Amino acid sequence: MSEAVHTPRVFSGIQPSGNLTLGNYLGALKRFAEAQENGIESIYCMVDLHAITVWQDPAKLANATRELCAGFIASGLDPKKSILFNQSQVPEHTQMAWIFNCVARMGWMQRMTQFKDKAGKNAQNASLGLFAYPALMAADILTYHATHVPVGEDQKQHIELTRDIAIKFNNDYGVEFFPVTAPVIEGAATRVMSLRDGSKKMSKSDPSDMSRINLTDDADTIAKKIRKAKTDPEPLPESVDGLEERPEARNLVNIYAALSDRTVAQVMDEMGGKPFSEFKPMLADLAVEKLAPISSEMSRLMQDPAEIDRILADGAQRARAIATPILQETYRIVGMVGA
Ligand code: AQP
């Protein structure tokens, strides 16, 4: 299967499963906005159907979906240049997901670390949807023949599964239909870690609010969370190598680098040797400077939910115009009468 036959197209999604975090911003939203001017058609989805793989309060889910859309726009995504919509308004995703449920193998799904992490010790009680999640994610991507998927490091395994599904479908049916999608994992903060535990990723659903910075946090809260972030007692090392065995220090330096659009080496040239009592306030100031305008733009946009709904409906219509013929052709390849 040659990727060259497919026109470049970007797809990525975010779950409306809580407040957007600094991890979502640096690992996803900021990079989406930066890529906007590259001329490649880009489709961004609020994946509400993924969110309900774990329990979501219905009223909160609707609000989180609108807030996520506001977060995309406040981060710099222009809904005229990119397609922004929520997944449940485009039924082709779930239709395609069923086909992929029949392509993916149980053994592949059982290897997914995100399922193991989220299901925890009580896997028997996890939803079937949580287990099937990666097949729906493959459908999200491949229903648009997307060639590039910008994501954080945590999603790499799911993109590899998407590639396996595309390759198996193409082989099974003797076609060259689905592209073999490439993950795009770039930048200094592709894996932002929890502020309380440098071995865990920063996550919307972490029970501790102190573990993350939310895009809606005010300046005082951001400063407090950074001040209280877990670190070791040593000052910052003199060079990048010295960060190796120090996950919490490395995390804060990565965040500083990503927020200031510099490399980790450049940050270390300036900050190397500083104690945390000096570095943390500088990081807090930078985080407030970069996040406060996003947060206030999000609250402004949230004052007009009808306008957000209109943007999502318009995006869904444009998304369907791409998805419908690809699903139809998939059905035809599989042998569905009437397709
Ligand atoms: N900590 C992170 N560092 C870098 N990138 C991250 N992303 C998420 N957390 C980090 C990236 O954000 C995009 C959307 O992720 P998602 O919300 O769809 O799913 P997730 O990875 O499961 O994110 P959360 O915050 O951990 O949500 P919950 O807690 O609901 O599961 C993806 O590109 C992801 O890589």
Side-chain angles (χ1 to χ4, degrees), residues 12-324:
S12 200
I14 300 188
Q15 298 185 72
S17 47
N19 285 324
L20 278 168
T21 70
L22 180 66
N24 299 131
Y25 177 65
L26 295 177
L29 291 168
K30 180 171 186 283
R31 294 167 50 218
F32 301 164
E34 284 162 2
Q36 185 166 246
E37 305 306 328
N38 66 10
I40 300 177
E41 183 172 39
S42 300
I43 303 169
Y44 297 113
C45 187
M46 332 287 125
V47 287
D48 45 11
L49 294 167
H50 282 284
I52 60 164
T53 54
V54 299
W55 170 251
Q56 303 292 335
D57 177 88
K60 285 191 186 149
L61 177 62
N63 190 63
T65 303
R66 295 190 180 104
E67 196 165 78
L68 176 54
C69 182
F72 269 91
I73 299 169
S75 301
L77 270 299
D78 177 345
K80 293 205 175 64
K81 290 188 184 150
S82 302
I83 298 179
L84 299 185
F85 70 105
N86 58 312
Q87 192 181 24
S88 56
Q89 289 206 64
V90 180
E92 283 77 4
H93 290 235
T94 41
Q95 292 173 287
M96 188 69 93
W98 181 256
I99 304 283
F100 290 166
N101 281 345
C102 300
V103 173
R105 305 289 93 183
M106 288 292 286
W108 299 359
M109 309 302 273
Q110 276 158 351
R111 282 197 287 275
M112 294 296 112
T113 53
Q114 181 168 295
F115 176 76
K116 291 184 208 161
D117 290 348
K118 286 200 172 176
K121 291 195 178 67
N122 202 3
Q124 290 300 312
N125 201 32
S127 73
L128 181 56
L130 188 65
F131 187 69
Y133 181 120
L136 176 58
M137 179 164 160
D140 298 336
I141 295 164
L142 294 174
T143 302
Y144 300 96
H145 276 184
T147 54
H148 295 83
V149 183
V151 279
E153 184 69 41
D154 58 317
Q155 291 298 332
K156 190 165 174 228
Q157 195 185 31
H158 288 164
I159 308 293
E160 281 159 7
L161 186 98
T162 301
R163 294 164 68 92
D164 290 343
I165 289 176
I167 292 167
K168 182 161 165 40
F169 182 98
N170 290 341
N171 284 341
D172 286 353
Y173 291 100
V175 290
E176 291 205 344
F177 187 59
F178 287 116
V180 180
T181 303
V184 184
I185 302 171
E186 287 166 350
T190 54
R191 190 168 173 78
V192 178
M193 307 310 280
S194 156
L195 299 179
R196 308 302 301 159
D197 176 353
S199 68
K200 259 173 64 183
K201 76 161 190 158
M202 184 180 285
S203 173
K204 299 184 210 91
S205 55
D206 191 309
S208 163
D209 193 56
M210 291 300 284
S211 70
R212 62 177 162 264
I213 291 173
N214 305 303
L215 290 195
T216 47
D217 283 344
D218 61 26
D220 287 347
T221 310
I222 293 175
K224 183 171 105 195
K225 286 178 176 178
I226 291 178
R227 196 170 62 244
K228 296 209 169 213
K230 187 181 160 205
T231 43
D232 54 49
E234 301 300 316
L236 284 175
E238 295 294 340
S239 71
V240 179
D241 294 347
L243 290 170
E244 214 148 278
E245 300 298 319
R246 299 177 61 190
E248 283 88 11
R250 189 177 58 213
N251 188 37
L252 297 185
V253 171
N254 285 350
I255 293 172
Y256 194 97
L259 281 173
S260 61
D261 294 311
R262 282 189 283 175
T263 63
V264 172
Q266 285 168 332
V267 172
M268 291 310 288
D269 282 347
E270 190 192 332
M271 301 290 173
K274 283 198 198 300
F276 284 108
S277 56
E278 210 176 310
F279 176 60
K280 279 180 168 178
M282 294 172 82
L283 176 59
D285 285 350
L286 176 66
V288 169
E289 178 197 322
K290 299 288 176 178
L291 301 183
I294 299 175
S295 167
S296 60
E297 179 63 359
M298 280 173 75
S299 359
R300 191 189 70 76
L301 292 164
M302 283 301 282
Q303 278 163 20
D304 190 356
E307 172 62 9
I308 292 185
D309 291 2
R310 200 198 54 70
I311 289 169
L312 291 173
D314 174 65
Q317 211 175 14
R318 286 154 64 206
R320 284 199 88 178
I322 303 170
T324 305

